[in-house]
Amino acid sequence: MARVPGRIGVLISGRGSNMVALAQACAPGGTLHGRTVIAVVVSNDPGAAGLKGAADLGCATAVVDHRESRTREEHDARVAAVLDEHRVDLVCLAGYMRLVSASLIRRFAGRVMNIHPSLLPAFPGLHAQRQAIEHGVRWSGVTVHFVDEGLDTGPIILQAPVRVEEGDTEESLSARILAEEHRIYAEAVRCFFDGRLRIEGRKVRIAGR
Ligand code: GRF
């Protein structure tokens, strides 16, 4: 019997290149094709460039403007309603510039992922690539992790290293890191829908790895 494809809801705030990479992985020829679909792309910012990119790729889109809610909980309840409406199994934060409330995390327990452009726990928060350059590290990279209530603190699923080159700028390092982001986010999603991820405290066990 054909397997029912897993449904991803992608939350964005900006350009959405990770969302596009996931959508391309779901398309024919991609590593997620046949097993995963993008059910909806939600932005908290009506001006997010990624909304057009998502629509161009044929994805359903929704705007839940955070300025229309009085509290984080109220905003997240509206986001959750959209995710429920689209029967989302897995929530992927992709350049989503908001902390997610405890209520949304509970509602999608173990089913919210984020991608961050550093080797966490180094350089959480904004401008991770700039932080890496200013700190003088030789290596930085990418982390895909489950989301908890902290800022970039949840259990780590996959990481990929990226070397910091002599003379790197924030832009040049970001570009090389982004290429790795696009690769490992789809890989983490694939592990999730293959049922290979198990969270044990701070650790994520990946079956068969
Ligand atoms: C990426 O670097 C991601 O790791 C970080 O925000 C950026 C979003 O880029 N959380 P995009 O919107 O996916 O192009």
Side-chain angles (χ1 to χ4, degrees):
M1 197 173 73
R3 137 164 54 180
V4 179
R7 299 174 66 78
I8 319 179
V10 188
L11 305 192
I12 65 169
S13 299
R15 97 194 131 173
S17 74
N18 278 288
M19 173 275 298
V20 168
L22 288 173
Q24 286 170 345
C26 293
T31 54
L32 297 171
H33 181 59
R35 55 218 312 170
T36 309
V37 295
I38 305 268
V40 65
V41 175
V42 184
S43 174
N44 65 298
D45 179 352
L51 283 169
K52 181 176 181 313
D56 288 348
L57 287 163
C59 300
T61 62
V63 173
V64 182
D65 190 335
H66 63 281
R67 291 164 300 192
E68 291 170 3
S69 296
R70 278 163 305 150
T71 63
R72 189 181 304 282
E73 282 68 27
E74 186 183 318
H75 173 74
D76 281 357
R78 294 177 57 211
V79 170
V82 173
L83 297 173
D84 284 345
E85 183 192 327
H86 290 273
R87 293 175 284 112
V88 162
D89 301 304
L90 174 68
V91 182
C92 290
L93 311 189
Y96 188 59
M97 303 300 284
R98 295 183 55 80
L99 273 178
V100 176
S101 65
S103 50
L104 189 79
I105 293 167
R106 269 199 304 273
R107 186 158 175 161
F108 289 90
R111 296 188 292 138
V112 185
M113 286 183 186
N114 182 40
I115 186 147
H116 183 77
S118 75
L119 294 176
L120 290 171
F123 314 128
L126 291 175
H127 301 295
Q129 303 93 331
R130 188 194 304 169
Q131 293 184 57
I133 289 174
E134 287 176 354
H135 197 90
V137 293
R138 302 288 183 201
W139 289 88
S140 191
V142 188
T143 303
V144 181
H145 62 93
F146 283 115
V147 173
D148 64 11
E149 287 166 49
L151 177 63
D152 303 323
T153 51
I156 290 168
I157 303 166
L158 291 177
Q159 294 188 300
V162 173
R163 190 192 293 274
V164 181
E165 306 288 357
E166 208 58 44
D168 250 337
T169 60
E170 184 178 1
E171 290 68 35
S172 62
L173 179 60
S174 299
R176 292 202 310 285
I177 288 178
L178 196 62
E180 287 298 286
E181 294 188 39
H182 295 167
R183 186 179 64 77
I184 72 165
Y185 214 173
E187 192 181 333
V189 167
R190 182 174 171 151
C191 289
F192 178 88
F193 283 113
D194 284 349
R196 292 171 57 204
L197 303 182
R198 201 172 69 236
I199 305 175
E200 290 176 7
R202 270 223 54 85
K203 293 193 181 144
V204 178
R205 305 281 177 206
I206 305 180
R209 202 178 162 91

